[in-house]
Amino acid sequence: MTIITKASILCLHAATVVSPSIGGDTLTPGRPLADGGGTLISAGGRFELGFFSPGGSNNRYIGIWYYDIAQTVVWVANRERPVTGRPGTLFIATNGTLIITDDNLTAIWSSSSPPLANPVAQLLDDGNFVVREAGSDSEDPNSFAWQSFDFPTDTHLPGMKLGWNLTSHLNRNLTSWTSASDPAPGNYTAAIDLHGYPQLFIFSGTRKYWRGGSWNGIVFSSIPEAIYASNRFNTVFIIDAQEVMYTNYLRNPSMISRLVMNQSGKLQRFVWIEERRSWNLFWFRPKDQCDSMSPCGPNGVCYPSDWPMCHCLKGFRPKDPSNWDLRDGSDGCVRKTALNCRNGTDGFVTINGALIPDTSSSVVDWSLSLEQCRARCLRNCSCTAYASANISGSESGCIMWTTDLTDLRVVSSGLGQDLYVRLAAADLGSESGDSRRSRVVVIIVVIAMTILVLGCAACCVWKRKKRRMPGKICLADGHNEGTAQDLDLPLFDLAAIINATDDFSIHNKLGEGGYGPVYKGKLGGEQDIAVKRLSKTSMQGLEEFKNEVMLTAKLQHRNLVRLRGCCIQAGERMLIYEYMPNRSLDAFLFGYGYMSPEYAMDGIFSVKSDVFSFGVLVLEIVSGKKNRGVIYHSASHLNLLGYIWSLWKEGKGSELVDGSIGHSCSLAEVLRCITVGLLCVQERPEDRPTMSSVVIMLSSDGELPQPQQPGFVVARAPPETGSSTTNHDSSSTRNSLSVTLLEGR
């Protein structure tokens, strides 16, 4: 072991104090690397080594990052002991030891390697920082006395090994940073576990957090999507007496990729997209409800796309049915029928698309074929399942389980493999409860779909017969124009509406707005309806009425009250809605799907109409205020959009933030959300961004365009004294009952 004393550091410093900091890619005993005095850059210009501070920190570290990419750190030397004051210095001693000192010449960090006669330290173009004898082959790993690739931090680079050197007991693993500003070892570690058939795990402390599975010849078994990158990497997984390790090499040297264990517990594969100058997330784990450790317990199967996600294997039943009914499958499943190995009647059921179970207690024999594996398992009364160890090309090798099967998943993408589970003869010939239930579900769905199709056909026929077609729409001012065909809705007879509402009885009146009153009715003595009766003094004309009818009829959503038809006889203009016996959604949600100006006024709808609606919703969430029905400014009586716009122009955007979230979020992020919201509610559709652009705006830190005045920013005069019939809120309530009326917002 190398012993570093203060005296030896002083001698080394005295020998180098007159020498400038080195450039290029190599460090020598006579030329140190001082903080602020330059960096090392690999010969091909791919990587850079030097002192750096993570964002939000003043601590100094020696690190390696990509030279021509905004600082993406891939390795940190002194991650546990930063230099807290400048100038820090990186030396290579005359015996080949690397040393980082602070401004008091105190050793902060050092490497450990066999002594060398004429050492140099070199940053290679694969990101490896190595110590070797001067004049030795830098391409030969056997010439390295020490290398950073043996001590990874949170990032795995192509050519770096992950796993164990069984001779030196060196365990190369990835450990997350504590935080984005602190590279000290965090809570999550990605490592190869040697128990049974070796597997990749993420550990949270000492607890197994996620299982990446065993190597199946192509990928780790629980990361099936990594197969899509297999044509870009030459991948190696070795299990022998000297080592158990994984590594890969890029087939295209110009490609840039890294594997990162991040501080939130996710293992992420990134690929650099040069055209966009950004990192693209290729895959990550854990990512779904089945990625926790054995969520369905022993002999349970987790289906990530199912609800409930847990099922029992064929021939098994829930161990605790009461917990199973509560969607807690952690107790797992037990056999319906005990195995009968002595009589030789047991057999196997095939599980297709399996991400094979935990192999921590399994055994592997690489000399066996799949058929030989089956025979070996049948002869072993303890064997519970088997599978191929290598699924690349022709399947080979044999994995056998002798315990309960845990952490088993099934995927439908064709990326899994076949697993053969041992069952008693009695369970081989019968369908499992899940299979029977699945068959029943299929039959029920087919019958239901048939009834639905027939019902829809009958409904269409009924609607055609029900539709009346009077010649003209009679307006209050005596003008006649427009045919009933324009509305494409069932027309109700005025006499039927009068009878349903008891001649518009005051006792059936639900409320009243600027458009007129709303009445509850019972059509044919059975069906409850709500009738919106347009006031004779309403400003809404024929075109506006037709727009409202046609647009409302086209809107289909489970949270919107359904328009059943209209009545346009004898100068009346009425809309007939489904009656909602409870308070409407509008009482709880400020506004779902706010209409854009072009949609509400002209009936013009496009993808930019949805962008407007999204923008209103964003602004409501940030401000905690409704868009309409509330006066926000006593002088101009603006709606929410106008209120936000007036404050935004005055540079008072921070005043818009809802007080309940004001202290729990980043003001810069909130102001960015407000800007994006305002861009979405621009009056002209062509001025609004697309939703894909909105996603990029919200997820990046790039500069945003400045918004112009939003649509629907209008000043409203105060209501005149004595006007008691106008209600600016479209949700009117009587006796805790309400009806949601659709208006342009």
Side-chain angles (χ1 to χ4, degrees):
M1 181 177 70
T2 302
I3 299 176
I4 301 172
T5 65
K6 189 71 172 282
S8 64
I9 294 175
L10 286 170
C11 291
L12 179 64
H13 181 71
T16 59
V17 71
V18 297
S19 301
S21 294
I22 196 168
D25 66 350
T26 305
L27 197 68
T28 63
R31 307 182 73 183
L33 182 66
D35 191 357
T39 60
L40 301 182
I41 300 173
S42 64
R46 176 61 61 87
F47 288 97
E48 185 173 11
L49 180 148
F51 282 91
F52 78 100
S53 291
S57 172
N58 293 321
N59 292 332
R60 303 294 287 172
Y61 301 87
I62 280 287
I64 298 174
W65 55 88
Y66 291 97
Y67 174 67
D68 59 348
I69 297 175
Q71 198 175 72
T72 302
V73 178
V74 298
W75 182 77
V76 183
N78 55 319
R79 66 185 306 192
E80 297 185 64
R81 291 195 63 191
V83 177
T84 56
R86 296 190 183 190
T89 306
L90 172 65
F91 297 92
I92 181 169
T94 55
N95 65 354
T97 300
L98 291 168
I99 307 169
I100 300 175
T101 63
D102 62 12
D103 55 350
N104 294 320
L105 300 183
T106 301
I108 297 297
W109 172 91
S110 65
S111 64
S112 179
S113 61
L116 301 177
N118 187 19
V120 294
Q122 183 180 13
L123 178 62
L124 304 182
D125 218 36
D126 59 1
N128 196 6
F129 187 43
V130 304
V131 175
R132 58 182 177 83
E133 286 281 8
S136 64
D137 186 1
S138 63
E139 300 294 323
D140 180 12
N142 293 320
S143 69
F144 303 158
W146 180 93
Q147 59 179 325
S148 62
F149 272 18
D150 278 341
F151 307 94
T153 51
D154 68 330
T155 302
H156 179 273
L157 296 173
M160 181 184 288
K161 293 181 178 181
L162 184 66
W164 289 82
N165 182 320
L166 299 178
T167 303
S168 66
H169 303 290
L170 176 67
N171 180 16
R172 309 175 191 90
N173 54 50
L174 306 179
T175 303
S176 66
W177 287 25
T178 296
S179 68
S181 60
D182 185 359
N187 194 44
Y188 297 98
T189 300
I192 301 295
D193 182 74
L194 298 179
H195 293 88
Y197 184 37
Q199 300 177 96
L200 174 67
F201 280 95
I202 292 177
F203 294 86
S204 176
T206 59
R207 177 178 63 89
K208 289 178 178 177
Y209 176 71
W210 169 79
R211 186 178 67 91
S214 55
W215 187 256
N216 63 16
I218 305 175
V219 294
F220 287 104
S221 59
S222 292
I223 320 176
E225 59 268 44
I227 196 171
Y228 297 123
S230 60
N231 63 338
R232 293 175 171 84
F233 295 92
N234 289 320
T235 307
V236 178
F237 191 82
I238 295 175
I239 302 178
D240 59 25
Q242 286 74 45
E243 61 183 348
V244 176
M245 73 87 182
Y246 158 85
T247 190
N248 59 32
Y249 302 92
L250 291 168
R251 294 183 178 179
N252 181 356
S254 65
M255 180 179 170
I256 302 176
S257 180
R258 59 194 173 102
L259 183 67
V260 180
M261 180 73 258
N262 76 10
Q263 55 262 33
S264 64
K266 287 183 169 54
L267 190 63
Q268 302 170 307
R269 166 66 68 187
F270 289 99
V271 177
W272 178 253
I273 308 298
E274 180 62 30
E275 293 77 10
R276 298 206 306 262
R277 298 290 300 170
S278 65
W279 289 103
N280 183 55
L281 182 59
F282 200 83
W283 59 259
F284 69 94
R285 289 285 179 164
K287 71 173 185 178
D288 58 45
Q289 57 186 351
C290 291
D291 269 342
S292 56
M293 284 298 300
S294 196
C296 300
N299 307 310
V301 189
C302 194
Y303 290 81
S305 58
D306 280 9
W307 180 256
M309 65 181 182
C310 289
H311 300 257
C312 283
L313 285 166
K314 181 179 178 179
F316 291 78
R317 57 177 174 79
K319 181 178 180 180
D320 189 335
S322 59
N323 284 348
W324 202 266
D325 290 341
L326 296 174
R327 302 297 184 257
D328 179 7
S330 58
D331 289 333
C333 307
V334 294
R335 290 187 182 276
K336 295 178 180 178
T337 308
L339 297 176
N340 195 342
C341 180
R342 294 186 182 276
N343 290 338
T345 57
D346 296 341
F348 296 94
V349 63
T350 304
I351 308 298
N352 304 116
L355 306 185
I356 62 174
D358 190 349
T359 59
S360 296
S361 300
S362 65
V363 293
V364 179
D365 189 330
W366 290 99
S367 67
L368 299 182
S369 67
L370 194 59
E371 281 302 313
Q372 292 170 328
C373 187
R374 183 182 189 278
R376 171 86 56 93
C377 187
L378 277 176
R379 290 196 301 269
N380 183 348
C381 291
S382 298
C383 182
T384 55
Y386 72 94
S388 290
N390 188 337
I391 62 172
S392 64
S394 58
E395 297 187 358
S396 61
C398 171
I399 309 177
M400 290 193 300
W401 287 263
T402 56
T403 60
D404 286 329
L405 306 178
T406 59
D407 202 26
L408 171 60
R409 301 178 55 184
V410 170
V411 292
S412 58
S413 57
L415 296 178
Q417 68 180 93
D418 290 342
L419 173 71
Y420 304 91
V421 179
R422 188 173 195 158
L423 292 181
D427 295 325
L428 285 171
S430 63
E431 281 191 301
S432 67
D434 283 339
S435 297
R436 286 194 297 270
R437 281 192 293 272
S438 297
R439 180 170 295 181
V440 170
V441 168
V442 170
I443 293 172
I444 291 174
V445 168
V446 170
I447 294 174
M449 290 300 295
T450 302
I451 293 174
L452 181 62
V453 171
L454 293 176
C456 289
C459 183
C460 290
V461 172
W462 177 82
K463 282 188 175 183
R464 288 183 180 277
K465 291 183 177 180
K466 187 73 176 177
R467 187 176 290 125
R468 309 274 179 80
M469 298 180 58
K472 303 286 182 179
I473 295 178
C474 183
L475 302 180
D477 59 3
H479 295 286
N480 295 310
E481 52 181 307
T483 65
Q485 279 181 311
D486 294 335
L487 303 182
D488 194 25
L489 267 179
L491 298 179
F492 287 87
D493 188 77
L494 178 59
I497 301 302
I498 291 174
N499 185 58
T501 59
D502 195 15
D503 198 11
F504 304 107
S505 168
I506 189 64
H507 299 292
N508 287 329
K509 188 174 181 181
L510 296 174
E512 186 167 355
Y515 47 76
V518 178
Y519 297 90
K520 178 184 177 182
K522 189 174 289 289
L523 211 57
E526 296 180 358
Q527 184 180 15
D528 288 332
I529 59 172
V531 180
K532 171 184 173 180
R533 189 183 191 190
L534 193 66
S535 170
K536 304 285 188 185
T537 59
S538 170
M539 296 297 293
Q540 188 182 60
L542 173 63
E543 289 303 317
E544 289 83 355
F545 178 75
K546 288 169 60 179
N547 274 342
E548 179 173 6
V549 173
M550 289 186 289
L551 297 179
T552 306
K554 292 175 183 176
L555 288 175
Q556 295 294 326
H557 193 276
R558 62 183 180 181
N559 291 335
L560 293 178
V561 63
R562 182 183 173 192
L563 177 65
R564 301 198 61 85
C566 61
C567 177
I568 50 175
Q569 288 181 337
E572 294 281 0
R573 294 199 292 273
M574 292 183 285
L575 294 176
I576 292 82
Y577 291 91
E578 229 172 12
Y579 174 71
M580 300 180 68
N582 300 311
R583 292 184 66 99
S584 72
L585 184 70
D586 185 61
F588 305 100
L589 186 65
F590 292 165
Y592 181 86
Y594 282 176
M595 293 184 188
S596 59
E598 70 275 9
Y599 189 14
M601 299 303 182
D602 303 314
I604 299 173
F605 186 80
S606 70
V607 292
K608 294 298 186 72
S609 301
D610 281 344
V611 174
F612 186 94
S613 306
F614 177 80
V616 176
L617 192 59
V618 168
L619 296 174
E620 286 188 332
I621 291 172
V622 172
S623 66
K625 295 178 172 64
K626 298 176 67 171
N627 180 40
R628 65 186 185 88
V630 179
I631 295 174
Y632 293 102
H633 196 289
S634 58
S636 57
H637 301 276
L638 300 173
N639 58 12
L640 178 63
L641 299 187
Y643 176 64
I644 290 177
W645 177 245
S646 65
L647 289 180
W648 185 261
K649 289 191 300 181
E650 298 170 7
K652 300 178 181 178
S654 59
E655 297 180 17
L656 302 172
V657 184
D658 185 357
S660 63
I661 64 171
H663 300 291
S664 61
C665 59
S666 164
L667 180 59
E669 291 180 0
V670 172
L671 293 177
R672 189 174 188 85
C673 288
I674 294 174
T675 305
V676 173
L678 287 171
L679 289 171
C680 289
V681 296
Q682 297 294 281
E683 185 164 6
R684 289 156 42 96
E686 55 268 31
D687 293 337
R688 301 171 204 152
T690 61
M691 283 307 300
S692 58
S693 298
V694 169
V695 172
I696 294 173
M697 290 178 185
L698 291 174
S699 59
S700 65
D701 297 323
E703 185 176 351
L704 297 177
Q706 288 301 307
Q708 303 301 314
Q709 178 173 302
F712 286 139
V713 176
V714 292
R716 294 180 295 187
E720 295 181 5
T721 304
S723 178
S724 61
T725 60
T726 301
N727 182 354
H728 291 287
D729 193 347
S730 70
S731 179
S732 303
T733 304
R734 174 186 173 89
N735 297 330
S736 298
L737 302 175
S738 71
V739 58
T740 299
L741 301 175
L742 298 174
E743 295 185 313
R745 309 189 190 197

